[in-house]
Amino acid sequence: TEPAPHAEPASHPAIATIEGLHVSMLETMQNADELGYQGRYDKLGNALAVSFDLEFMAQKAVGRSWKKFSPEEKQRWRKSFENVTSANYAGRFTGYSGQQFKTLGAEPSSHETMIVRTELENPDGDDVTLNYRLRETPEGWRIIDVYLNGTVSELALRRSEYSSLIKRDGFESLVDTVDQRVADLAKVN
């Protein structure tokens, strides 16, 4: 079969970023019980820090409000955003039943980004399409968004939620709400 138009070779560095993250995710899933919640949080937090452009995502997640934050608020928000991202992943990867990640390809996208298409093959149920948008940074290719089921932007969902929370209740409420979500995830996992 012919390759997709504008498809990048399998050796594109954006693919290496995704495959590195997938290795960490699988290891976490395979050792979920042994690691416990805090171990998963720490392991995935480290993997996310080298795979994701968390600072860029933290800014985009609050939209225009970012420019109104003081330097101290920006720092607090970045930390809360990093924590909730790690907590969400630690809460999702709680066990292993033969799942495997499969990289389907990569192609250039808008604003000098790349989309890496992948699938989480789940032998006990439906496969999940995960597409990642990455941008090149001085540290290499980093994820700036994840499209769940291939099309639902995780960053857009967060921006909608967080922006309305800021408008309604202000910065302190945003941070308190996100920090409480982190604490709640630790309790249930």
Side-chain angles (χ1 to χ4, degrees):
T1 60
E2 291 288 318
H6 308 291
E8 290 292 316
S11 62
H12 192 280
I15 291 175
T17 299
I18 299 307
E19 290 184 346
L21 175 63
H22 285 170
V23 166
S24 293
M25 289 177 172
L26 280 176
E27 288 174 356
T28 302
M29 291 163 67
Q30 291 165 342
N31 299 296
D33 291 338
E34 178 185 318
L35 288 168
Y37 173 78
Q38 190 61 49
R40 295 191 314 269
Y41 178 95
D42 293 342
K43 183 173 182 60
L44 289 168
N46 290 334
L48 298 173
V50 298
S51 303
F52 283 72
D53 188 345
L54 290 168
E55 183 162 342
F56 176 86
M57 293 174 72
Q59 292 177 31
K60 297 301 179 190
V62 292
R64 295 181 185 144
S65 297
W66 176 259
K67 292 179 181 176
K68 299 174 187 169
F69 290 176
S70 71
E72 294 79 19
E73 288 172 333
K74 287 178 180 178
Q75 184 175 349
R76 281 183 62 205
W77 172 242
R78 278 192 299 265
K79 187 64 179 161
S80 289
F81 183 83
E82 289 172 16
N83 289 342
V84 77
T85 302
S86 295
N88 282 333
Y89 276 81
R92 286 180 195 154
F93 293 97
T94 57
Y96 179 73
S97 56
Q99 296 91 339
Q100 293 296 322
F101 287 98
K102 181 178 179 185
T103 301
L104 304 174
E107 61 252 358
S109 191
S110 60
H111 306 290
E112 299 180 10
T113 62
M114 292 290 294
I115 298 288
V116 176
R117 295 178 292 105
T118 73
E119 193 169 75
L120 176 60
E121 297 176 339
N122 190 356
D124 294 342
D126 295 331
D127 295 344
V128 178
T129 300
L130 294 169
N131 293 340
Y132 299 88
R133 180 181 297 275
L134 296 90
R135 73 180 191 138
E136 193 169 17
T137 72
E139 295 79 32
W141 285 88
R142 296 292 180 262
I143 300 163
I144 58 171
D145 203 356
V146 180
Y147 297 91
L148 308 171
N149 296 320
T151 58
V152 180
S153 165
E154 192 170 0
L155 192 57
L157 293 174
R158 288 186 186 191
R159 183 170 45 240
S160 175
E161 176 189 354
Y162 298 159
S163 293
S164 64
L165 187 58
I166 292 168
K167 285 178 188 169
R168 188 178 65 240
D169 300 321
F171 175 81
E172 289 299 327
S173 180
L174 169 69
V175 173
D176 289 347
T177 300
V178 169
D179 290 349
Q180 186 60 52
R181 187 171 299 155
V182 171
D184 291 346
L185 282 165
K187 285 180 200 167
V188 298
N189 288 291

